[in-house]
Amino acid sequence: YSRILAREMYGGERPYGYVFGGSGGAYKTMACMENTSGVWDGAVPFIHGSHVSMPHVFTVQAHALRVLDGKFDQIVDAVEPGGSGDMYAGLDEEQREALAEVTRMGFPPLAWFAHDRVALSYTGVFAAIFGTLRACDPTYFDDFWTEPGYLGADPPASLEAARVQHETTVTELLSTRDIRRMGLPVSIAAGTRASAPAAFRLADLPEGRLQGAFLFPRTGDAAGERLMIAGVVDDLVLLGFGGEQIPTLEAIQVGDRVELDNSDYLASQTYHRHQNPPPEFYVWDQFREPDGTPRFPQRPLLEGYNQVGEGNSWQSGRFDCKVITVNCLMDEAAYPWQADWYHTRVKGALGPRLDDQYRLWFVERAMHVTPSRYLSPNEGESTREHHGPTDTHIVNYSGILHQALRDVAAWAEEDIAPPASTGYHVDDGQIVVPPTAAERAGVQPVVSLTANGGARAEVAPGEPVEFVGVIDVPPGGGVVVSTEWDYDGSGSYADAEAHDGTTTTVSIERTHTFSEPGTHFVTLRAAAQRDDALGSPFGKAFNLGRARIVVA
């Protein structure tokens, strides 16, 4: 009907129509393109999950965050350039098993550099959907602590030690507005109402990790309700919740008695072990015996979650428009293997028409949202102009989305095929891309960086280090337009150079000295841009390379 109105108002031929969205919006985009015919000419779903994303990406993540607490820095150090390569070194058996479990489920190990932010952000998100899990399977939370085969029935020492049950009193209420002024993160739902209580100050806090614990009001108008704790900063309890819980928050008053109990959250952390989705969801193979039987007691599949709650998309892979999907290789929420799963669905539905209608572009060194959203809790509130250590680990993928939207329109309207899909393979739940731009394809440049000829250089204070960076753009990805160097890990990229936009490969050298002993990482960030975007701020495809310098 919008097309009818447009032609009545403006005349001309039939208008084109496009739909795009990320994360939950990707599910909605898929619902649009898969459940209609002749409506959408093109679609760009990005950072998308699968039928089995929720709650399992959050449960396995929460389990790892608990068991591996205090170990993430050494894990990241091992997998960063110039590291040992063995992220399991120095872990005990329980810790090794937890890290293997979350990795096989698809969590990208490099993303653990932001473990503080991941814990705080996604405990809040989990809080918003926890009620659905409890409604779908209310008896699980008792079974976990009592029935054989569940971790809580014969708990390891770490699980027993992690359990918190504590009564205290509310001494102060802080609103969303107050929390933002303090530079602290706010739950997604809390952000919808400035006056909504977003944190409490309590008379006393127990020992142990309270993230994910439930706060139960025992007196006052909110008695009998429950709220999840997203995190604790000093003596402040930050809350995570869905919008329907705002009335509960507003009913709590100073002086109310509350109980803190994390039993249900601890139980939820291994819920994924008790689900057995079809074999196409191959990351669950780790929970099956060689003959295919489950290793753990099984719960009924969460049908309510399978429908993903975002436009009732069952992700069939069937559509009649042009589609480009963009997914990130360090995505800590929409684990990258799910893009491969959907790719397989599309291939089965379209068959020989696959390359005529579909592209999958992976983005290296990118997470679920932009770098400025991944401040650690003590770095303050993010802004559009923020630069910080996060910017030396991940890049903004927005420019690749710009290009995807341009390309899907050119594909639909002018039959101009976009660059090829990214080449990759799956290795035990992890997406692995080829090392060269020609093999990798897609639209993102490949950036490599060496220090004194390797990924790691060991030098004395004041000894010069020779850096060589190579930026290579895949076929159809445009030309190199900028390079930037960060030597101190600040994310400031003070050494920046614009390129004339005439070449697809750039080799660049720098010499730098370090006076302070210790381990330093140097980052080279580069951008490529296509002819149709040259000179504009849009359509820039970023990537980065890192090298380790040990000064002693």
Side-chain angles (χ1 to χ4, degrees), residues 93-123:
E93 182 178 3
E94 182 185 25
Q95 292 164 344
R96 287 195 299 271
E97 289 177 353
L99 182 55
E101 181 174 333
V102 73
T103 305
R104 289 173 180 154
M105 282 287 281
F107 189 98
L110 279 172
W112 288 124
F113 87 90
H115 59 90
D116 284 339
R117 173 58 56 174
V118 168
L120 192 56
S121 295
Y122 291 106
T123 303

mmCIF file of all heavy atoms in Angstrom, residues 93-123:
data_model
loop_
_atom_site.group_PDB
_atom_site.id
_atom_site.type_symbol
_atom_site.label_atom_id
_atom_site.label_comp_id
_atom_site.label_asym_id
_atom_site.label_seq_id
_atom_site.Cartn_x
_atom_site.Cartn_y
_atom_site.Cartn_z
ATOM 1 N N GLU A 93 41.079 -28.160 36.439
ATOM 2 C CA GLU A 93 40.220 -28.987 35.582
ATOM 3 C C GLU A 93 38.850 -28.354 35.361
ATOM 4 O O GLU A 93 38.339 -28.308 34.236
ATOM 5 C CB GLU A 93 40.056 -30.382 36.187
ATOM 6 C CG GLU A 93 39.219 -31.316 35.321
ATOM 7 C CD GLU A 93 39.104 -32.715 35.914
ATOM 8 O OE1 GLU A 93 39.632 -32.940 37.022
ATOM 9 O OE2 GLU A 93 38.467 -33.569 35.269
ATOM 10 N N GLU A 94 38.236 -27.844 36.416
ATOM 11 C CA GLU A 94 36.914 -27.223 36.279
ATOM 12 C C GLU A 94 36.981 -25.997 35.380
ATOM 13 O O GLU A 94 36.104 -25.782 34.531
ATOM 14 C CB GLU A 94 36.371 -26.835 37.650
ATOM 15 C CG GLU A 94 34.969 -26.229 37.587
ATOM 16 C CD GLU A 94 34.476 -25.725 38.927
ATOM 17 O OE1 GLU A 94 35.316 -25.392 39.789
ATOM 18 O OE2 GLU A 94 33.243 -25.645 39.121
ATOM 19 N N GLN A 95 38.023 -25.211 35.535
ATOM 20 C CA GLN A 95 38.173 -24.015 34.713
ATOM 21 C C GLN A 95 38.418 -24.366 33.251
ATOM 22 O O GLN A 95 37.857 -23.729 32.348
ATOM 23 C CB GLN A 95 39.316 -23.166 35.264
ATOM 24 C CG GLN A 95 39.007 -22.545 36.618
ATOM 25 C CD GLN A 95 40.244 -22.040 37.327
ATOM 26 O OE1 GLN A 95 41.384 -22.393 36.968
ATOM 27 N NE2 GLN A 95 40.057 -21.229 38.353
ATOM 28 N N ARG A 96 39.240 -25.369 33.008
ATOM 29 C CA ARG A 96 39.488 -25.798 31.619
ATOM 30 C C ARG A 96 38.198 -26.279 30.967
ATOM 31 O O ARG A 96 37.916 -25.968 29.809
ATOM 32 C CB ARG A 96 40.549 -26.894 31.582
ATOM 33 C CG ARG A 96 41.969 -26.405 31.867
ATOM 34 C CD ARG A 96 43.000 -27.448 31.464
ATOM 35 N NE ARG A 96 42.844 -28.695 32.206
ATOM 36 C CZ ARG A 96 43.419 -28.962 33.368
ATOM 37 N NH1 ARG A 96 44.191 -28.043 33.950
ATOM 38 N NH2 ARG A 96 43.241 -30.118 33.972
ATOM 39 N N GLU A 97 37.415 -27.038 31.715
ATOM 40 C CA GLU A 97 36.155 -27.554 31.155
ATOM 41 C C GLU A 97 35.181 -26.417 30.863
ATOM 42 O O GLU A 97 34.484 -26.436 29.839
ATOM 43 C CB GLU A 97 35.541 -28.563 32.127
ATOM 44 C CG GLU A 97 36.314 -29.866 32.193
ATOM 45 C CD GLU A 97 35.732 -30.827 33.224
ATOM 46 O OE1 GLU A 97 34.802 -30.405 33.975
ATOM 47 O OE2 GLU A 97 36.208 -31.977 33.295
ATOM 48 N N ALA A 98 35.116 -25.421 31.747
ATOM 49 C CA ALA A 98 34.209 -24.288 31.520
ATOM 50 C C ALA A 98 34.644 -23.490 30.298
ATOM 51 O O ALA A 98 33.803 -23.054 29.491
ATOM 52 C CB ALA A 98 34.172 -23.397 32.749
ATOM 53 N N LEU A 99 35.944 -23.268 30.134
ATOM 54 C CA LEU A 99 36.436 -22.519 28.981
ATOM 55 C C LEU A 99 36.214 -23.295 27.687
ATOM 56 O O LEU A 99 35.806 -22.715 26.676
ATOM 57 C CB LEU A 99 37.922 -22.197 29.162
ATOM 58 C CG LEU A 99 38.578 -21.382 28.057
ATOM 59 C CD1 LEU A 99 37.834 -20.066 27.810
ATOM 60 C CD2 LEU A 99 40.044 -21.110 28.388
ATOM 61 N N ALA A 100 36.445 -24.601 27.719
ATOM 62 C CA ALA A 100 36.198 -25.416 26.530
ATOM 63 C C ALA A 100 34.719 -25.413 26.171
ATOM 64 O O ALA A 100 34.344 -25.314 24.994
ATOM 65 C CB ALA A 100 36.688 -26.843 26.765
ATOM 66 N N GLU A 101 33.849 -25.481 27.171
ATOM 67 C CA GLU A 101 32.407 -25.518 26.937
ATOM 68 C C GLU A 101 31.917 -24.253 26.265
ATOM 69 O O GLU A 101 31.202 -24.287 25.250
ATOM 70 C CB GLU A 101 31.685 -25.736 28.266
ATOM 71 C CG GLU A 101 30.174 -25.808 28.165
ATOM 72 C CD GLU A 101 29.541 -26.164 29.497
ATOM 73 O OE1 GLU A 101 30.189 -26.832 30.328
ATOM 74 O OE2 GLU A 101 28.371 -25.770 29.707
ATOM 75 N N VAL A 102 32.298 -23.092 26.802
ATOM 76 C CA VAL A 102 31.820 -21.836 26.237
ATOM 77 C C VAL A 102 32.446 -21.588 24.861
ATOM 78 O O VAL A 102 31.798 -21.006 23.975
ATOM 79 C CB VAL A 102 32.097 -20.669 27.209
ATOM 80 C CG1 VAL A 102 33.575 -20.297 27.270
ATOM 81 C CG2 VAL A 102 31.254 -19.457 26.867
ATOM 82 N N THR A 103 33.671 -22.040 24.653
ATOM 83 C CA THR A 103 34.315 -21.859 23.359
ATOM 84 C C THR A 103 33.669 -22.741 22.302
ATOM 85 O O THR A 103 33.413 -22.305 21.169
ATOM 86 C CB THR A 103 35.823 -22.165 23.463
ATOM 87 O OG1 THR A 103 36.408 -21.354 24.496
ATOM 88 C CG2 THR A 103 36.538 -21.868 22.159
ATOM 89 N N ARG A 104 33.385 -23.975 22.647
ATOM 90 C CA ARG A 104 32.707 -24.877 21.704
ATOM 91 C C ARG A 104 31.277 -24.430 21.418
ATOM 92 O O ARG A 104 30.732 -24.716 20.355
ATOM 93 C CB ARG A 104 32.705 -26.301 22.256
ATOM 94 C CG ARG A 104 34.075 -26.955 22.231
ATOM 95 C CD ARG A 104 34.067 -28.289 22.940
ATOM 96 N NE ARG A 104 35.384 -28.913 22.905
ATOM 97 C CZ ARG A 104 35.828 -29.785 23.809
ATOM 98 N NH1 ARG A 104 35.057 -30.111 24.863
ATOM 99 N NH2 ARG A 104 37.034 -30.296 23.705
ATOM 100 N N MET A 105 30.688 -23.711 22.370
ATOM 101 C CA MET A 105 29.358 -23.147 22.128
ATOM 102 C C MET A 105 29.426 -21.901 21.247
ATOM 103 O O MET A 105 28.408 -21.378 20.821
ATOM 104 C CB MET A 105 28.674 -22.800 23.451
ATOM 105 C CG MET A 105 28.090 -23.995 24.181
ATOM 106 S SD MET A 105 26.599 -24.672 23.418
ATOM 107 C CE MET A 105 25.364 -23.528 23.995
ATOM 108 N N GLY A 106 30.659 -21.400 20.982
ATOM 109 C CA GLY A 106 30.812 -20.335 19.999
ATOM 110 C C GLY A 106 31.295 -19.004 20.510
ATOM 111 O O GLY A 106 31.504 -18.087 19.718
ATOM 112 N N PHE A 107 31.485 -18.840 21.835
ATOM 113 C CA PHE A 107 31.975 -17.554 22.329
ATOM 114 C C PHE A 107 33.396 -17.336 21.814
ATOM 115 O O PHE A 107 34.259 -18.196 21.992
ATOM 116 C CB PHE A 107 31.962 -17.510 23.850
ATOM 117 C CG PHE A 107 32.260 -16.141 24.413
ATOM 118 C CD1 PHE A 107 31.226 -15.313 24.806
ATOM 119 C CD2 PHE A 107 33.567 -15.670 24.529
ATOM 120 C CE1 PHE A 107 31.482 -14.044 25.316
ATOM 121 C CE2 PHE A 107 33.833 -14.409 25.032
ATOM 122 C CZ PHE A 107 32.791 -13.593 25.417
ATOM 123 N N PRO A 108 33.679 -16.174 21.185
ATOM 124 C CA PRO A 108 35.020 -15.934 20.632
ATOM 125 C C PRO A 108 36.014 -15.589 21.741
ATOM 126 O O PRO A 108 35.821 -14.603 22.461
ATOM 127 C CB PRO A 108 34.816 -14.730 19.701
ATOM 128 C CG PRO A 108 33.323 -14.540 19.592
ATOM 129 C CD PRO A 108 32.740 -15.091 20.842
ATOM 130 N N PRO A 109 37.074 -16.360 21.923
ATOM 131 C CA PRO A 109 37.989 -16.121 23.046
ATOM 132 C C PRO A 109 38.566 -14.714 23.108
ATOM 133 O O PRO A 109 38.756 -14.175 24.198
ATOM 134 C CB PRO A 109 39.091 -17.171 22.814
ATOM 135 C CG PRO A 109 38.390 -18.301 22.124
ATOM 136 C CD PRO A 109 37.402 -17.621 21.208
ATOM 137 N N LEU A 110 38.842 -14.086 21.968
ATOM 138 C CA LEU A 110 39.404 -12.736 22.001
ATOM 139 C C LEU A 110 38.466 -11.734 22.673
ATOM 140 O O LEU A 110 38.909 -10.707 23.187
ATOM 141 C CB LEU A 110 39.734 -12.255 20.584
ATOM 142 C CG LEU A 110 41.048 -12.744 19.972
ATOM 143 C CD1 LEU A 110 41.137 -12.332 18.507
ATOM 144 C CD2 LEU A 110 42.248 -12.205 20.750
ATOM 145 N N ALA A 111 37.175 -12.020 22.673
ATOM 146 C CA ALA A 111 36.203 -11.086 23.246
ATOM 147 C C ALA A 111 36.270 -11.036 24.770
ATOM 148 O O ALA A 111 35.707 -10.121 25.379
ATOM 149 C CB ALA A 111 34.792 -11.447 22.799
ATOM 150 N N TRP A 112 36.982 -11.962 25.397
ATOM 151 C CA TRP A 112 37.078 -11.933 26.849
ATOM 152 C C TRP A 112 37.882 -10.735 27.346
ATOM 153 O O TRP A 112 37.889 -10.458 28.554
ATOM 154 C CB TRP A 112 37.699 -13.224 27.389
ATOM 155 C CG TRP A 112 36.823 -14.423 27.320
ATOM 156 C CD1 TRP A 112 37.099 -15.617 26.719
ATOM 157 C CD2 TRP A 112 35.515 -14.580 27.901
ATOM 158 N NE1 TRP A 112 36.058 -16.504 26.870
ATOM 159 C CE2 TRP A 112 35.075 -15.889 27.598
ATOM 160 C CE3 TRP A 112 34.688 -13.741 28.644
ATOM 161 C CZ2 TRP A 112 33.830 -16.370 28.012
ATOM 162 C CZ3 TRP A 112 33.442 -14.227 29.054
ATOM 163 C CH2 TRP A 112 33.029 -15.523 28.746
ATOM 164 N N PHE A 113 38.546 -9.997 26.457
ATOM 165 C CA PHE A 113 39.231 -8.793 26.926
ATOM 166 C C PHE A 113 38.232 -7.833 27.587
ATOM 167 O O PHE A 113 38.607 -7.036 28.455
ATOM 168 C CB PHE A 113 39.958 -8.085 25.770
ATOM 169 C CG PHE A 113 39.101 -7.104 25.016
ATOM 170 C CD1 PHE A 113 39.038 -5.769 25.395
ATOM 171 C CD2 PHE A 113 38.317 -7.515 23.938
ATOM 172 C CE1 PHE A 113 38.236 -4.863 24.715
ATOM 173 C CE2 PHE A 113 37.524 -6.622 23.255
ATOM 174 C CZ PHE A 113 37.469 -5.287 23.640
ATOM 175 N N ALA A 114 36.966 -7.911 27.184
ATOM 176 C CA ALA A 114 35.916 -7.033 27.727
ATOM 177 C C ALA A 114 35.044 -7.779 28.728
ATOM 178 O O ALA A 114 33.858 -7.499 28.853
ATOM 179 C CB ALA A 114 35.058 -6.485 26.587
ATOM 180 N N HIS A 115 35.654 -8.699 29.499
ATOM 181 C CA HIS A 115 34.839 -9.568 30.355
ATOM 182 C C HIS A 115 34.047 -8.794 31.398
ATOM 183 O O HIS A 115 32.919 -9.178 31.726
ATOM 184 C CB HIS A 115 35.714 -10.632 31.014
ATOM 185 C CG HIS A 115 36.821 -10.082 31.863
ATOM 186 N ND1 HIS A 115 36.679 -9.817 33.204
ATOM 187 C CD2 HIS A 115 38.096 -9.742 31.556
ATOM 188 C CE1 HIS A 115 37.798 -9.348 33.687
ATOM 189 N NE2 HIS A 115 38.694 -9.288 32.716
ATOM 190 N N ASP A 116 34.591 -7.699 31.925
ATOM 191 C CA ASP A 116 33.825 -6.913 32.900
ATOM 192 C C ASP A 116 32.554 -6.356 32.279
ATOM 193 O O ASP A 116 31.464 -6.411 32.863
ATOM 194 C CB ASP A 116 34.675 -5.751 33.435
ATOM 195 C CG ASP A 116 35.710 -6.201 34.439
ATOM 196 O OD1 ASP A 116 35.531 -7.286 35.019
ATOM 197 O OD2 ASP A 116 36.695 -5.468 34.640
ATOM 198 N N ARG A 117 32.688 -5.792 31.093
ATOM 199 C CA ARG A 117 31.534 -5.216 30.405
ATOM 200 C C ARG A 117 30.567 -6.298 29.952
ATOM 201 O O ARG A 117 29.353 -6.135 30.064
ATOM 202 C CB ARG A 117 32.019 -4.388 29.219
ATOM 203 C CG ARG A 117 30.898 -3.874 28.314
ATOM 204 C CD ARG A 117 29.899 -3.032 29.059
ATOM 205 N NE ARG A 117 30.531 -1.925 29.734
ATOM 206 C CZ ARG A 117 29.868 -0.985 30.363
ATOM 207 N NH1 ARG A 117 28.556 -1.015 30.412
ATOM 208 N NH2 ARG A 117 30.501 0.002 30.968
ATOM 209 N N VAL A 118 31.094 -7.403 29.464
ATOM 210 C CA VAL A 118 30.233 -8.517 29.055
ATOM 211 C C VAL A 118 29.393 -8.980 30.239
ATOM 212 O O VAL A 118 28.179 -9.186 30.128
ATOM 213 C CB VAL A 118 31.078 -9.675 28.490
ATOM 214 C CG1 VAL A 118 30.246 -10.949 28.340
ATOM 215 C CG2 VAL A 118 31.679 -9.287 27.138
ATOM 216 N N ALA A 119 30.029 -9.132 31.399
ATOM 217 C CA ALA A 119 29.305 -9.593 32.584
ATOM 218 C C ALA A 119 28.199 -8.621 32.968
ATOM 219 O O ALA A 119 27.057 -9.021 33.227
ATOM 220 C CB ALA A 119 30.285 -9.766 33.747
ATOM 221 N N LEU A 120 28.528 -7.342 33.001
ATOM 222 C CA LEU A 120 27.551 -6.347 33.437
ATOM 223 C C LEU A 120 26.434 -6.173 32.412
ATOM 224 O O LEU A 120 25.247 -6.155 32.748
ATOM 225 C CB LEU A 120 28.252 -5.017 33.690
ATOM 226 C CG LEU A 120 27.452 -3.938 34.412
ATOM 227 C CD1 LEU A 120 26.940 -4.446 35.749
ATOM 228 C CD2 LEU A 120 28.308 -2.698 34.616
ATOM 229 N N SER A 121 26.795 -6.077 31.146
ATOM 230 C CA SER A 121 25.793 -5.829 30.110
ATOM 231 C C SER A 121 24.835 -6.990 29.955
ATOM 232 O O SER A 121 23.614 -6.812 29.910
ATOM 233 C CB SER A 121 26.485 -5.555 28.772
ATOM 234 O OG SER A 121 27.246 -4.371 28.824
ATOM 235 N N TYR A 122 25.376 -8.211 29.885
ATOM 236 C CA TYR A 122 24.514 -9.335 29.526
ATOM 237 C C TYR A 122 23.834 -9.972 30.714
ATOM 238 O O TYR A 122 22.846 -10.683 30.542
ATOM 239 C CB TYR A 122 25.304 -10.329 28.675
ATOM 240 C CG TYR A 122 25.597 -9.700 27.333
ATOM 241 C CD1 TYR A 122 26.858 -9.241 27.012
ATOM 242 C CD2 TYR A 122 24.562 -9.467 26.437
ATOM 243 C CE1 TYR A 122 27.105 -8.604 25.805
ATOM 244 C CE2 TYR A 122 24.794 -8.835 25.236
ATOM 245 C CZ TYR A 122 26.059 -8.406 24.914
ATOM 246 O OH TYR A 122 26.285 -7.755 23.726
ATOM 247 N N THR A 123 24.306 -9.697 31.922
ATOM 248 C CA THR A 123 23.479 -10.063 33.064
ATOM 249 C C THR A 123 22.210 -9.218 33.044
ATOM 250 O O THR A 123 21.115 -9.706 33.340
ATOM 251 C CB THR A 123 24.240 -9.861 34.381
ATOM 252 O OG1 THR A 123 25.446 -10.623 34.354
ATOM 253 C CG2 THR A 123 23.396 -10.321 35.562
#
